[in-house]
Amino acid sequence: MHPDRQPHHDAPGRARPWHAAWADALYGDRGFYRSHAPAQHFHTSAQGIPGGGAVLAEALVALCRRHGLTGVVDVGAGRGELLAEVRRLAPQLHLHGVDVVDAPADLPVDRWTRSPGGALLPDALRDLHGVLVVAHEWLDVVPCPVLVRDDHEVWREVAVHEDGTEVLGPVPSAPDLAWARRWLGPQVHRAEVGRPRDQAATDLVGRVRQGLVLLVDYGHTSADRPAGGTLTGYRAGRQVAPVPDGSCDLTAHVAWDSLVDHLGAPAVLTSQRAALLGLLQADGRAGDGKDGTGEDGTGEALLAPVPHGLARADPAAYLSLLARRAALGALTAVGGLGDFGWVLVVVEEPGRGRVAPDGATVPD
């Protein structure tokens, strides 16, 4: 991250509020996502980690089966890597991708819808029924205002030039200032305002008539809110300074506590580690210690072992299970992808109760 970047008090040329520059840099006519595939620049649980996409797809299929869902809608689908894995595992599911570019010609999906990008969703994405809507690393690229405390401890909006030079802007809008006062502790001197992500998530949930909405991303709460913000850039597999010129990805962590509070009681937050282990382990274990990480503090002790006898009886199956276990270990690692947040929102008829990400029913 670049938490200690200090805005200049003045700089030549025209500066714009970060949220506006960010939106153009990613989703404008020459925006980063118009011409760059995410897999070219960074790895996620869905792509770039050997076997990771298959494990994540397995979890999505498990959720669909537990809830009797007939399709998956992937918001921010990239080039459809995750949907292709779901198709391989469950060819009967109806698959619908949503992204700012057209679908690859050979992608095995039933439907693809182009999106305006960022928080804006396609008008046609409405009245969804019987589907799992997954937004995997979508919210972190929803642009939002960036605030910093000035020399008098007053919150100010940060503006930025196309070359990344920052300047102090005006006092934030009343809603952004209210958000900062509620969600940012005294130790925080710079932060990204979570309101646009909260509103985007609420919009997405509101487009589902019946089904599940799963939001997966990296984030923080008041317990571990970074003092200097999280806005950063990625280019060609490397973390770089955030420059809004369309040459790099721009991303910032999600304020989970604000988002869950905004969504209300139907939203359940857990870690990716707990969710995946609860969905995919044969015995459903999601933790065996107070910290939920296993005896060695890494989560490794929670992964079911591959039977050694299978190596002799069926070597191919043994190697396949070893590879799956390694991928599951990568996606549930403490201090890594396992710390990602999973927010599951059940949209259901009254009286049916809500369901936690591991499949357990929670009474209303």
Side-chain angles (χ1 to χ4, degrees):
M1 304 302 163
H2 303 271
D4 298 318
R5 301 173 71 228
Q6 295 298 321
H8 294 258
H9 286 275
D10 82 65
R14 175 174 171 263
R16 295 191 295 163
W18 246 118
H19 65 88
W22 188 344
D24 277 353
L26 294 188
Y27 307 112
D29 292 340
R30 297 182 294 111
F32 178 80
Y33 281 124
R34 301 293 179 186
S35 56
H36 295 264
Q40 296 174 312
H41 296 274
F42 49 85
H43 293 168
T44 70
S45 297
Q47 48 82 18
I49 296 172
V55 167
L56 185 58
E58 189 180 343
L60 300 187
V61 171
L63 279 172
C64 288
R65 288 173 176 163
R66 290 187 182 190
H67 296 275
L69 303 176
T70 58
V72 175
V73 180
D74 188 0
V75 176
R79 299 305 184 265
E81 295 90 347
L82 180 57
L83 289 176
E85 291 288 352
V86 173
R87 174 66 79 207
R88 184 178 61 82
L89 294 174
Q92 77 280 5
L93 291 175
H94 185 278
L95 304 184
H96 180 180
V98 180
D99 209 283
V100 297
V101 295
D102 291 331
D106 58 349
L107 187 66
V109 296
D110 301 289
R111 184 180 177 189
W112 189 275
T113 303
R114 285 195 63 161
S115 175
L120 300 176
L121 295 169
D123 289 340
L125 193 71
R126 296 186 181 278
D127 200 32
L128 302 172
H129 186 273
V131 297
L132 168 61
V133 180
V134 58
H136 183 271
E137 295 199 34
W138 168 56
L139 289 173
D140 68 276
V141 289
V142 169
C144 50
V146 178
L147 306 186
V148 68
R149 296 185 195 267
D150 66 15
D151 294 340
H152 304 286
E153 293 298 307
V154 175
W155 283 113
R156 302 274 294 277
E157 190 164 356
V158 180
V160 64
H161 295 266
E162 189 172 296
D163 67 358
T165 303
E166 295 181 340
V167 297
L168 284 173
V171 173
S173 67
D176 286 348
L177 189 58
W179 187 93
R181 287 171 173 167
R182 178 174 182 185
W183 296 108
L184 303 178
Q187 81 285 1
V188 177
H189 62 84
R190 177 184 170 117
E192 301 83 30
V193 175
R195 288 181 56 248
R197 281 88 179 273
D198 299 348
Q199 293 165 349
T202 300
D203 182 22
L204 182 61
V205 171
R207 292 163 184 258
V208 180
R209 184 156 54 92
Q210 184 273 321
L212 305 179
V213 177
L214 175 61
L215 307 165
V216 182
D217 231 307
Y218 38 81
H220 45 67
T221 67
S222 59
D224 61 353
R225 191 93 69 217
T230 62
L231 176 62
T232 193
Y234 285 93
R235 182 192 302 117
R238 297 179 57 194
Q239 189 173 11
V240 297
V243 177
D245 62 357
S247 70
C248 65
D249 181 34
L250 297 170
T251 173
H253 289 47
V254 177
W256 285 127
D257 45 358
S258 170
L259 185 135
V260 169
D261 181 82
H262 193 79
L263 288 174
V268 179
L269 171 65
T270 190
S271 68
Q272 176 160 289
R273 177 171 55 259
L276 288 180
L277 294 178
L279 284 165
L280 301 182
Q281 291 275 59
D283 60 4
R285 289 177 299 165
D288 63 355
K290 290 183 179 180
D291 63 355
T293 62
E295 297 173 357
D296 60 359
T298 66
E300 179 68 16
L302 299 181
L303 300 181
V306 178
H308 293 297
L310 189 61
R312 181 174 299 175
D314 190 340
Y318 178 72
L319 292 174
S320 177
L321 287 176
L322 281 179
R324 177 187 179 276
R325 188 179 189 276
L328 181 58
L331 268 58
T332 57
V334 175
L337 293 173
D339 295 344
F340 270 44
W342 278 40
V343 169
L344 188 74
V345 184
V346 179
V347 183
E348 191 56 272
E349 295 88 2
R352 289 286 299 275
R354 55 191 174 89
V355 181
D358 63 357
T361 301
V362 182
D364 286 328

